[in-house]
Amino acid sequence: MPDLHKVARALISVSDKTGLIDLGRALSERGIEILSTGGSAKALRDEGIAVKDVAEVTEFPEMMDGRVKTLHPRIHGGLLALRDNADHMASMQGHAIPEIDLLVVNLYPFEETVAKGADYETCIENIDIGGPAMIRAAAKNHAFVNVVTDIADYAPLLAELDANDGATSYAFRQKLALTAYARTGAYDAAVSTWMAGALGDEAPRRRAFAGEIAQTLRYGENPHQKAAFYRDGSDRPGVASAVQHQGKELSYNNINDTDAAFELVSEFLPSDGPACAIIKHANPCGVARGATLREAYQKAFDCDRTSAFGGIVALNMKLDMETAEAITEIFTEVVIAPGADDAAKEVFAKKKNLRLLTTSGLANTAEPGLAYRQVSGGFLVQDKDNGLITLDDLKVVTKKQPTEDELRDLLFAWKVAKHVKSNAIVYVKDGATVGVGAGQMSRVDSALIAAKKSERMAEALGLPEALTKGSAVASDAFFPFADGLLEAAAAGATTVIQPGGSMRDNEVIAAADEAGLAMVFTGMRHFRH
């Protein structure tokens, strides 16, 4: 098998016709015969580019509304025949099968059709059959055949042809084949995932996930780990679809933390007022609402100023100059918001290493979806935690009733606790976190750590007492014993929100009554490991 193989004939059949005319003209100018189908052939011919219809080769017309056009031995034989195999070449000659050296195919827009909310029948009609079949055939025979499935490869293809006098190298064809198999794999994954949802199959026998490269990363969580970032093709606002305006490339940890920050701040609708979340190592170190965005940032910052240094800031509305100025007073890695005005961008422009990302809006935290995690030998799949608790869902279980202000803080604390690593304890006062305990093996330790952090911040701010005094406290899961709740009471909490459901609920409720606490149960927990 020679390294270089000349391209004499190409088959082009594309759904997305971006760049088609330029590619067709460039191939024709290089003396390459073009075979094509349907709309692709018409588009090329309308621009004066010589094209031979696939139907002329197969001697069969397109039929069944275009479902059958390339599924024919004279097409697949031309893609699959080994050029250095005498029997294969004899079969081609005996059956008038032309060699096809280049296949250019992009598939029916199935993913886009699903994203638009099309009905079942429309989605089915947008499942490509002939395209994937040809792609897989050409990719298998990459020893001789080039297969291009991505518009981004048009320019490299032409450059390769020019560099090799109309031929391509084996290494180049191998790379195209790899991209091609990944594309058909992603396509099949999209179809199977959609169909599982359409049929209501929550645990299909096989699961497939796919993504498209967004960027290669300098390294992963640590410098010795290689890493890359992939998009899943959805249009969900967030770090994957955000526009980066300045600063160096995002790292693995930046992306992970920015995602955590934006998902958290998206819990707070702009209609309920400005909100800010500051994240460090995927855990919130401060979350707050305010009368202005700047006030929300300041209140979030004042929860834990030490941890906020070098953190990620997420905002629930368009970034303004005043907030930008406050943020730049300390070192911040990334700021993400649904927009930023020109004045804010000018402020950030003075901080070259600060990354500013803007999104098209907030993420819909109630939206259904899947979350998955790798384990040794497999992976776990579950629904995203989109559980929502409202005032009507709360059950008061103590003698003391929470006040209206306390109920607001309880629900605020509950939303934050959903995004804190378990065991999670979150103290909130006046619409701002004042203590966060995360990721401890004991819920008692989380309560103690959060309270201690609040005490230290009070000292730093020159306050007479910790802000946990008179606060609402949320626990992401039930208190198995009364000890954790009593630590929260000792820190000054006056009201508690927790799921309930412990076999010792009665003991915990009795302890709350004795301590003079108001407590509500949600009936829902928010473990986040």
Side-chain angles (χ1 to χ4, degrees), residues 43 49 88-90 110 119 127 174 265 291 319 340 358 389 396 401 421 463 477 494 497 510:
I49 300 167
H88 286 204
M89 298 308 290
F110 177 81
D119 59 32
I127 299 174
Q174 281 182 306
V265 86
L319 175 65
T358 59
I389 292 296
V396 180
Q401 298 280 323
K421 302 293 185 184
L463 301 175
T494 59
I497 185 169

Side-chain angles (χ1 to χ4, degrees), residues 87-117:
D87 288 342
H88 286 204
M89 298 308 290
S91 294
M92 291 184 76
Q93 186 173 4
H95 297 285
I97 298 174
E99 295 180 26
I100 300 173
D101 311 300
L102 168 63
L103 175 70
V104 181
V105 170
N106 56 54
L107 305 174
Y108 290 176
F110 177 81
E111 295 99 329
E112 292 87 344
T113 302
V114 171
K116 291 176 182 176

